[in-house]
Amino acid sequence: MFDLPESLFANPVWTALHTKHRHFAISAGEACRYPADVAPFAAVASPTEAALLQLHSLLVPSESVWIAAESYPHPTQLVFEQTLECLQMVLPAKIEPPAARVEIVRFRAGRRPRW
């Protein structure tokens, strides 16, 4: 996939919170999350019960977060509300926008469009 290693996409939230979004990371051992007012995503280094319990320590009572992964154990302290299947998309670093199909007209004060 272009020039990015596929391993970056195996655990995207974990990767983001340990690289470009490190300044957002709230961490406890093998768990990390974004602040609640930034994004509802959390991650663990590996899908173990211990890591999920560390994640639990980062949540306030009744708080929900999204975790991107295929499967996890289900510790009794956590409630798994739902699963959402989704596709991961990547935008290449260099893209070419499509040719304009319509004319873009800049308006100035006092000028009315000619329709």
Side-chain angles (χ1 to χ4, degrees):
M1 179 173 293
F2 303 104
D3 59 342
L4 298 173
E6 195 170 315
S7 62
L8 291 178
F9 304 99
N11 196 343
V13 176
W14 179 267
T15 299
L17 287 170
H18 284 82
T19 56
K20 290 187 176 197
H21 290 177
R22 178 177 276 129
H23 61 284
F24 289 117
I26 300 171
S27 301
E30 294 290 303
C32 60
R33 63 163 303 167
Y34 284 94
D37 62 340
V38 173
F41 299 110
V44 292
S46 59
T48 66
E49 187 167 328
L52 288 172
L53 293 176
Q54 290 169 342
L55 175 58
H56 182 256
S57 75
L58 299 175
L59 306 177
V60 298
S62 301
E63 182 179 14
S64 294
V65 292
W66 288 94
I67 304 172
E70 293 199 22
S71 67
Y72 281 99
H74 290 73
T76 57
Q77 296 89 333
L78 299 176
V79 175
F80 286 76
E81 295 175 352
Q82 63 182 318
T83 300
L84 173 66
E85 290 190 29
C86 59
L87 298 174
Q88 191 169 345
M89 297 182 282
V90 178
L91 179 65
K94 192 175 188 179
I95 61 169
E96 293 293 326
R101 295 184 194 165
V102 296
E103 178 185 359
I104 298 174
V105 178
R106 294 188 186 269
F107 293 122
R108 289 175 284 202
R111 181 177 174 202
R112 300 193 70 159
R114 291 176 281 178
W115 312 113

Coordinates of all heavy atoms in Angstrom, one line a residue, residues 24 26 33-40 63:
F24 N -2.1 13.9 22.4 CA -3.4 13.7 22.9 C -3.5 12.5 23.9 O -4.5 12.3 24.6 CB -4.4 13.4 21.8 CG -4.7 14.5 20.9 CD1 -4.3 14.5 19.6 CD2 -5.4 15.6 21.4 CE1 -4.6 15.6 18.7 CE2 -5.7 16.7 20.6 CZ -5.3 16.7 19.2
I26 N -3.8 9.7 26.5 CA -4.0 9.4 27.9 C -3.7 7.9 28.1 O -4.4 7.1 27.4 CB -5.4 9.8 28.4 CG1 -5.7 11.3 28.2 CG2 -5.6 9.4 29.9 CD1 -7.1 11.7 28.4
R33 N -6.0 6.2 25.2 CA -7.2 6.8 24.6 C -7.0 8.3 24.3 O -6.1 8.9 24.7 CB -8.3 6.6 25.6 CG -8.0 7.4 26.9 CD -9.2 7.7 27.8 NE -10.2 8.4 27.1 CZ -11.5 8.5 27.5 NH1 -11.8 8.0 28.7 NH2 -12.4 9.2 26.9
Y34 N -7.9 8.8 23.5 CA -8.0 10.2 23.3 C -8.8 10.8 24.4 O -9.7 10.1 25.0 CB -8.7 10.5 22.0 CG -7.9 10.3 20.7 CD1 -8.0 9.1 20.0 CD2 -7.1 11.3 20.2 CE1 -7.2 8.9 18.9 CE2 -6.4 11.1 19.0 CZ -6.4 9.9 18.4 OH -5.7 9.7 17.3
P35 N -8.6 12.1 24.7 CA -9.5 12.7 25.7 C -10.9 12.7 25.2 O -11.1 12.8 24.0 CB -8.9 14.2 25.7 CG -7.5 14.1 25.3 CD -7.5 13.0 24.3
A36 N -11.9 12.6 26.1 CA -13.3 12.5 25.7 C -13.7 13.7 24.8 O -14.6 13.5 23.9 CB -14.1 12.4 26.9
D37 N -13.2 14.9 25.0 CA -13.6 16.0 24.2 C -12.9 16.1 22.9 O -13.1 17.0 22.1 CB -13.4 17.3 25.0 CG -12.0 17.6 25.4 OD1 -11.2 16.7 25.4 OD2 -11.7 18.8 25.7
V38 N -12.0 15.1 22.6 CA -11.3 15.1 21.3 C -11.9 14.1 20.4 O -12.2 14.4 19.2 CB -9.8 14.9 21.5 CG1 -9.1 14.7 20.2 CG2 -9.2 16.1 22.3
A39 N -11.9 12.8 20.8 CA -12.4 11.7 20.0 C -12.8 10.5 20.9 O -12.2 10.3 21.9 CB -11.4 11.3 19.0
P40 N -13.8 9.7 20.5 CA -14.2 8.6 21.3 C -13.5 7.3 21.1 O -14.0 6.2 21.2 CB -15.7 8.5 20.9 CG -15.7 8.8 19.4 CD -14.7 10.0 19.3
E63 N -19.0 5.7 30.7 CA -18.4 6.2 29.4 C -18.2 5.1 28.4 O -17.9 4.0 28.7 CB -17.0 6.8 29.7 CG -16.4 7.5 28.5 CD -15.1 8.1 28.8 OE1 -14.5 7.9 29.9 OE2 -14.6 8.8 27.9

